[in-house]
Amino acid sequence: MTQRRRPTIHEVARVAGVSISSVSRALNGNTSNADMVARVNAAVREVGYVPSVVAQSLKTRHTGQIAFAMEDIGNAAYLEMVRRIQPTLRDEGYRLLLHSTGADVEDELGVLASLSQNYVDGLILCPLRVTDRHVEALRQTAVPVVVIGLLPDDVPVDNVRADSRVGARLAVEHLAEAGARRIAFIDGPLDTVPGRARYDGFRSGLAAAGLPEDDDLVRFTDFQFDAGRRAARELLTGHPDVDAVLGANDLIAMGVLHALRDLGRDVPGDVRVVGMDDTPLAATSFPPLSSVSLGSADRGRIAAELLLRRLDGDDAPPERVTVPPSLNVRESSR
Amino acid sequence: MTQRRRPTIHEVARVAGVSISSVSRALNGNTSNADMVARVNAAVREVGYVPSVVAQSLKTRHTGQIAFAMEDIGNAAYLEMVRRIQPTLRDEGYRLLLHSTGADVEDELGVLASLSQNYVDGLILCPLRVTDRHVEALRQTAVPVVVIGLLPDDVPVDNVRADSRVGARLAVEHLAEAGARRIAFIDGPLDTVPGRARYDGFRSGLAAAGLPEDDDLVRFTDFQFDAGRRAARELLTGHPDVDAVLGANDLIAMGVLHALRDLGRDVPGDVRVVGMDDTPLAATSFPPLSSVSLGSADRGRIAAELLLRRLDGDDAPPERVTVPPSLNVRESSR
DNA sequence: TGAGGCGAGGGAAACGTTTCCGGGATGTGG
DNA sequence: CCACATCCCGGAAACGTTTCCCTCGCCTCA
């Protein structure tokens, strides 16, 4: 392998016998002389020229990169988003930079501050919590940002929301309709945006169904399988009259299914179970898990599209898009 | 918000009353004068200076970016890798660029050709198939590459392997030991690297256990839940004497579990099931799925570490690291 | 046939850094 | 007290593009 340096536009110009400006024009379609274009292309092939994106970026002031920052790519909801965001961006010639913040608020703010000032043309952000400092940072970003998740109304930033409040409510209403009277809820941390919204939705669902609230039937834990399993086991042991459980995400709901099986209760015969996020887990569990789809894939796609529009120069006022939730009923609640 | 351009190093120099070279030196720790450093830092804060990574990259010839290219980030094995790769790289100051090729060989080659010549300092690649053109491209990359997956021995590139052949064999031996005599195998496409290796391992496992080969008990399909379910249903209907099934990954194995349930067969009583990859799915399924861990997370971490070493200037001959598989026995085969 | 207009292409500046080089100040030893 | 080495810092070049500006040649029209 040759250790030679990559050929530059100067090399191409020399071989083609033209000036570097002409090469640049020919390559960027800013020339009408077909002969010139042909000569340049021939020279490009001859020397194996590949433009330096870095130099281009320096000159043109955009990098062709977009960052997606979230807590943990391991989370199925974020994963669904990435799967849609990446192709959407790629089709428009953008590369995707991935940044997991690991639930570290400082890191998240650091991303906002430094990412946005550098090496990306735009940013899609999924903050788990939104503090005043987030809002402040969002007001000052140097590049367009789209936030996926709940954002105060006065923050001038494009915002794609899932209505997990309505989602939780849908689930509760569905369970009540199916005959459940003692509905338990296993939530994530109450101080997270989704944890809070889902709890509110749960309560409003109870109210809508005319069922009493009972704090004993609610647990706040983590959005994880083991946490859900433990909490469910404890709750169901203490309250054997529970006839339905809503898990704040599919992992928790899977934990609930396992706890029920450990306790010898039949699903959905004795207890109905519904999860949230409608991840691939839901369809493959046993019994297949009813789950509230919050449209993660759609949110990802929409966020990417919004961002692309901004990058295209659209300076309309910030948009708020809410993706409506939908309930996917499977056997676990039928 | 001000529409002013970002301050440059010149701005800082002007405010601090020094030259731009001094600013650069102070910021990069190449000066011993504490007073100078203090003045520069003060000026940096005053004008809100953030260095332009693009300009730095142009000058220093490295970008601080590393790309990870795989077929589909939705695949749990790749996901595990990303989860380890990203923090490992971030801790060393590198950003992660994500590229899903979508099983498109052309695109994969395109990544190799263009990514490697541009905007990344290194590349971690998970090719699903390895063609001659891959090998050719790998020989010519401009930056260090680490390949996760099987690679011909003569390709001079760092390589991290899972021994999925031995992994499949482990599973078969385990099943045979548990008493299985008619072991079926549902594989992915035979013309993929993992599909091939797992098939070979399956056969060598049979041989090791002294069991006859029976092509009727092998199916080649996709690495997906539905494909696994369909193939399993068809196979098990035609061969009710099958007493164990190996799925080439956890998704397939989950499909097998569902097919068995549909057919009213008990797991593990009537039929034992083992999957591969040991994804989070396995632990949450019912019954919990025995699965062969191919060390995805470890492979990701090791690949990242190898790459970092190369970027650090290590020019030892290419390394081949094989991560040994291990079987995680759960209830589905107990 | 000559003047004016137009288009194509070359020269050079600029993007924002890092780093080489050289000059002046400072310190040290004879 | 002078010569020489040392250290700091400023000037300027360079990284590889894009693009502005200007010149030159050609074509058209009077």
Side-chain angles (χ1 to χ4, degrees):
Chain A
M1 179 182 138
T2 78
Q3 276 298 347
R4 285 196 35 236
R5 267 247 268 282
R6 311 172 30 172
T8 73
I9 203 174
H10 291 93
E11 194 77 2
V12 176
R14 200 179 50 72
V15 170
V18 299
S19 76
I20 62 163
S21 2
S22 298
V23 175
S24 177
R25 275 189 294 258
L27 293 177
N28 293 306
N30 295 326
T31 193
S32 44
N33 184 335
D35 181 48
M36 170 70 86
V37 172
R39 278 171 69 188
V40 168
N41 283 335
V44 163
R45 270 190 301 277
E46 184 179 335
V47 303
Y49 168 75
V50 179
S52 155
V53 239
V54 173
Q56 286 178 325
S57 297
L58 180 58
K59 196 58 197 168
T60 62
R61 322 188 131 279
H62 40 81
T63 62
Q65 303 192 147
I66 288 174
F68 178 55
M70 78 274 73
E71 180 209 354
D72 172 19
I73 183 66
N75 183 311
Y78 298 140
L79 181 57
E80 283 303 305
M81 293 179 192
V82 181
R83 292 180 76 177
R84 294 296 288 273
I85 291 175
Q86 204 256 346
T88 306
L89 296 181
R90 188 186 50 190
D91 290 349
E92 296 296 318
Y94 285 95
R95 301 181 295 282
L96 180 66
L97 224 69
L98 200 69
H99 192 101
S100 320
T101 57
D104 181 338
V105 173
E106 286 312 311
D107 192 21
E108 211 166 83
L109 288 165
V111 172
L112 262 176
S114 98
L115 268 194
S116 88
Q117 299 236 11
N118 257 319
Y119 51 75
V120 294
D121 297 339
L123 181 57
I124 300 177
L125 187 69
C126 283
L128 204 55
R129 297 173 170 84
V130 177
T131 67
D132 289 348
R133 292 171 61 201
H134 279 88
V135 172
E136 189 54 32
L138 282 172
R139 290 186 189 282
Q140 307 195 349
T141 55
V143 298
V145 177
V146 176
V147 169
I148 301 182
L150 210 54
L151 207 60
D153 277 325
D154 59 330
V155 184
V157 161
D158 287 317
N159 187 202
V160 181
R161 304 172 169 187
D163 202 334
S164 58
R165 195 173 167 285
V166 169
R169 183 168 153 178
L170 270 183
V172 173
E173 289 177 352
H174 156 70
L175 289 169
E177 221 163 87
R181 286 298 166 262
R182 295 282 288 165
I183 305 178
F185 179 42
I186 307 202
D187 197 4
L190 191 55
D191 65 342
T192 59
V193 174
R196 179 77 224 180
R198 290 166 200 203
Y199 179 53
D200 291 344
F202 173 72
R203 302 196 341 175
S204 96
L206 288 181
L211 294 175
E213 272 188 43
D214 182 350
D215 284 348
D216 284 353
L217 300 190
V218 177
R219 292 290 180 283
F220 301 101
T221 171
D222 274 331
F223 285 112
Q224 301 298 333
F225 174 74
D226 283 330
R229 185 175 191 165
R230 265 194 303 275
R233 189 182 330 228
E234 181 265 321
L235 189 151
L236 288 159
T237 308
H239 301 271
D241 59 331
V242 163
D243 53 10
V245 183
L246 172 61
N249 71 359
D250 284 346
L251 276 176
I252 291 180
M254 293 292 296
V256 173
L257 287 182
H258 277 250
L260 284 165
R261 184 148 15 226
D262 295 344
L263 295 170
R265 317 284 302 273
D266 181 55
V267 178
D270 299 331
V271 182
R272 295 164 205 269
V273 179
V274 173
M276 297 190 73
D277 285 345
D278 200 27
T279 62
L281 266 182
T284 63
S285 83
F286 186 81
L289 180 68
S290 298
S291 190
V292 177
S293 166
L294 298 172
S296 298
D298 283 341
R299 279 183 287 154
R301 180 181 48 77
I302 292 171
E305 287 168 357
L306 276 179
L307 190 55
L308 287 171
R309 264 176 42 195
R310 289 291 170 207
L311 293 172
D312 214 34
D314 182 355
D315 58 353
E319 276 208 51
R320 305 207 124 50
V321 179
T322 300
V323 175
S326 64
L327 178 64
N328 223 323
V329 177
R330 300 196 183 83
E331 290 170 36
S332 71
S333 69
R334 207 155 15 211
Chain B
M1 177 183 140
T2 78
Q3 276 299 348
R4 286 195 35 234
R5 266 249 267 285
R6 310 172 32 171
T8 73
I9 203 173
H10 291 92
E11 195 76 1
V12 177
R14 200 178 51 72
V15 170
V18 299
S19 74
I20 61 163
S21 4
S22 297
V23 174
S24 177
R25 275 189 294 257
L27 293 176
N28 295 305
N30 295 325
T31 194
S32 42
N33 185 334
D35 181 48
M36 170 71 85
V37 172
R39 278 174 67 188
V40 168
N41 283 334
V44 163
R45 270 190 302 278
E46 183 180 334
V47 302
Y49 168 74
V50 179
S52 155
V53 242
V54 174
Q56 286 179 324
S57 297
L58 180 59
K59 196 58 196 165
T60 62
R61 324 188 130 278
H62 41 81
T63 61
Q65 302 192 148
I66 288 175
F68 178 54
M70 44 42 279
E71 180 208 352
D72 172 18
I73 183 65
N75 183 311
Y78 298 140
L79 181 58
E80 283 303 306
M81 292 178 194
V82 181
R83 293 181 74 178
R84 294 297 286 275
I85 291 174
Q86 204 256 345
T88 306
L89 296 181
R90 188 185 51 191
D91 290 350
E92 297 296 320
Y94 285 95
R95 301 181 294 282
L96 180 66
L97 224 69
L98 201 68
H99 192 100
S100 319
T101 57
D104 181 339
V105 173
E106 287 311 312
D107 193 20
E108 212 166 81
L109 289 166
V111 172
L112 262 176
S114 99
L115 267 194
S116 88
Q117 299 234 13
N118 258 319
Y119 52 74
V120 295
D121 297 339
L123 180 57
I124 300 177
L125 187 69
C126 283
L128 205 55
R129 298 174 170 83
V130 176
T131 67
D132 289 348
R133 293 171 60 201
H134 279 87
V135 172
E136 189 54 31
L138 282 172
R139 289 185 190 282
Q140 308 195 349
T141 54
V143 298
V145 177
V146 176
V147 169
I148 301 182
L150 210 55
L151 207 60
D153 277 324
D154 58 330
V155 184
V157 161
D158 286 317
N159 186 203
V160 182
R161 305 173 169 186
D163 202 333
S164 58
R165 195 172 167 285
V166 168
R169 182 168 154 178
L170 271 183
V172 173
E173 289 177 350
H174 156 71
L175 288 169
E177 222 164 84
R181 286 296 164 263
R182 295 282 288 165
I183 305 177
F185 180 40
I186 306 201
D187 198 3
L190 191 56
D191 64 342
T192 58
V193 173
R196 178 77 225 182
R198 289 165 202 205
Y199 179 53
D200 291 343
F202 174 72
R203 302 196 342 174
S204 95
L206 288 181
L211 293 175
E213 273 189 43
D214 182 349
D215 284 349
D216 283 354
L217 300 189
V218 177
R219 291 290 181 282
F220 301 102
T221 173
D222 273 330
F223 286 111
Q224 301 298 333
F225 174 74
D226 284 329
R229 185 175 191 163
R230 264 195 303 274
R233 188 180 334 225
E234 181 266 320
L235 190 151
L236 288 160
T237 308
H239 301 271
D241 59 330
V242 163
D243 53 11
V245 183
L246 173 61
N249 72 359
D250 285 347
L251 276 176
I252 291 180
M254 293 291 297
V256 173
L257 288 182
H258 277 250
L260 284 165
R261 187 154 7 230
D262 295 344
L263 295 170
R265 318 285 302 273
D266 181 54
V267 177
D270 300 330
V271 181
R272 295 164 205 269
V273 179
V274 173
M276 296 189 73
D277 284 348
D278 199 27
T279 61
L281 265 182
T284 64
S285 83
F286 185 81
L289 179 69
S290 298
S291 190
V292 178
S293 166
L294 298 172
S296 298
D298 283 340
R299 279 183 288 154
R301 180 181 49 77
I302 292 171
E305 288 168 357
L306 276 179
L307 190 54
L308 287 171
R309 263 176 41 195
R310 291 290 169 207
L311 293 172
D312 214 34
D314 182 355
D315 57 352
E319 275 207 51
R320 305 207 127 46
V321 179
T322 300
V323 176
S326 64
L327 178 63
N328 224 324
V329 178
R330 300 196 183 84
E331 290 169 37
S332 71
S333 68
R334 213 166 357 221

